[in-house]
Amino acid sequence: MWTYVLFNIKSNLKRKENLILIVLFIICEIALLFILNTKSFTESPYQTSLGISIASVSQKNDPKLYQEFMDEVNLIRQTIDKGEQDGKDKNWKSYCEYKVKVSVLEAQWYMVTSNMPNDSYFEHADVLEELRKEYGLPDLSQYEKLIVQKSNDINLYFCSMQQARYFDYLLKHDLTPITYSYVDASSVSLQIARYILPVVLPLLVGLLLFQQRERRAKTEKTILTISGVKKKYVRWNLISDVLFVLLVVFIPILVYMIILVPFKGVSNLIYPVLYYKPGFTGFHYWDTQGLDHIELVASGLTNMSVNQFTTPGMELMPLWQCTLFVAFGLVLSTIFYVLLITVLSKLMKNKYLSLLVFLVVLGLCSFASPLGNMQKINTFNPMSYRDFGMNLLGTSYFGYFAGIVIIGLYSVILYLVLKWCAKKVRV
């Protein structure tokens, strides 16, 4: 079997049309990496503090306590000014320490001013309390009696809480804050996976494989006459096609990683990435109806929503682990695309027609489910999961786990159809 698989891969690599496509694909990737690297120098790796609002505080309840509170607020403001300057001066250790302190105080203040009935609304409150004590920060809960009007909005708490844990992780692992477009040996695969492959991968599969039926016709007529081979033949071709596409996709990425290692190393493999845990562990649709806009705050390689109810579910994951999960999603997507173009080529005599139908079907599915789409019916749309990086990292409305299940299910169905085609449709 493997002799036949390797023969198919080698024959695909030798074809002039395929070589041209591969070269164009690599040029696109190199251009993207150059653009992202340039963009990363203009992006800010630090975020503006959300601040502590004193609009709901009145000195009438206790003037002396109010003055103590204002003294604390002034100290916090001085810390913010110094911290922002540390960021501009690239004094990253001091900056990360400032971000932890301010974010812990902000999160604590949002807890104090919130009208939520119990602590179950405040995830990781125990972690924040430990950080407050560890960094020697004041307890703002003592000023609760100054509050004249509490709020039901706790979204800012979640954002501050996540930032406190994120920057504490950076500080304790001696990591430098990076920007959303940052490119090095550790992040290059994730950047390509979310900027290029969602669009290029289906095009690449369609263009690389649409001529397979015509080229294999004579071989198939011979092979399918051999006893015991017919049942395995579909599987052999599927494996060779999938491996061929995966080699085209992943070999260049591995080369980029090796080239970038001497420049920036691989220390960022443990860099923290915020991922959406409910969408990672089960079928979880983000209910964000009623939002007029979504305000995003960059935290390294993740865009975190300030005003979405998805924010509470964000957890930390090391970049190497995130990369593996995204790579698994890409492999599954590749299998799905290969199966779809193969089934269409079996059902249609004209190879150009099969390619056209392949592109039209995926195009219509993509149009029906743009990456910001919130329609629940698109849970079953395979193109809602064309970017597993977004599904995992919390910037798509559909979760990672749902994508793995849905794409996996469609792949199984297409494989069964392909086996039926091998029995019923003439070569």
Side-chain angles (χ1 to χ4, degrees), residues 145-168:
K145 64 182 294 186
L146 298 175
I147 308 298
V148 292
Q149 185 176 0
K150 293 195 173 186
S151 170
N152 289 327
D153 185 9
I154 61 171
N155 288 324
L156 294 179
Y157 162 80
F158 295 122
C159 189
S160 295
M161 176 267 291
Q162 304 293 10
Q163 286 200 41
R165 296 167 59 235
Y166 170 78
F167 284 100
D168 178 61

Side-chain angles (χ1 to χ4, degrees), residues 235-340:
R235 186 166 65 251
W236 291 355
N237 278 331
L238 176 62
I239 292 172
S240 64
D241 289 344
V242 170
L243 286 178
F244 169 55
V245 175
L246 291 178
L247 285 173
V248 172
V249 170
F250 284 105
I251 291 296
I253 292 176
L254 290 174
V255 172
Y256 304 144
M257 291 175 69
I258 293 170
I259 292 173
L260 289 170
V261 166
F263 294 96
K264 299 179 180 178
V266 292
S267 60
N268 283 323
L269 282 173
I270 61 169
Y271 199 89
V273 174
L274 285 163
Y275 75 103
Y276 186 56
K277 187 175 181 180
F280 177 73
T281 56
F283 282 91
H284 195 274
Y285 175 83
W286 299 5
D287 188 7
T288 56
Q289 301 294 338
L291 286 180
D292 295 326
H293 71 285
I294 297 172
E295 184 180 349
L296 296 176
V297 175
S299 292
L301 294 167
T302 314
N303 273 329
M304 182 172 60
S305 171
V306 175
N307 58 351
Q308 261 181 287
F309 282 104
T310 57
T311 305
M314 302 296 281
E315 296 292 344
L316 296 175
M317 174 187 290
L319 179 56
W320 68 267
Q321 202 172 53
C322 166
T323 301
L324 288 179
F325 284 120
V326 173
F328 178 73
L330 285 173
V331 171
L332 198 58
S333 295
T334 301
I335 294 172
F336 167 71
Y337 295 139
V338 169
L339 280 165
L340 181 59

Side-chain angles (χ1 to χ4, degrees), residues 167-203:
F167 284 100
D168 178 61
Y169 185 103
L170 293 184
L171 195 60
K172 289 174 179 174
H173 290 80
D174 197 27
L175 294 169
T176 299
I178 62 177
T179 65
Y180 189 76
S181 302
Y182 184 80
V183 176
D184 69 353
S186 306
S187 65
V188 63
S189 57
L190 178 62
Q191 299 292 25
I192 289 175
R194 65 185 179 186
Y195 279 104
I196 286 243
L197 295 181
V199 175
V200 172
L201 183 58
L203 286 173

Side-chain angles (χ1 to χ4, degrees), residues 389-404:
M390 291 187 72
N391 297 125
L392 179 63
L393 299 182
T395 42
S396 168
Y397 292 96
F398 305 96
Y400 178 88
F401 180 79
I404 296 298

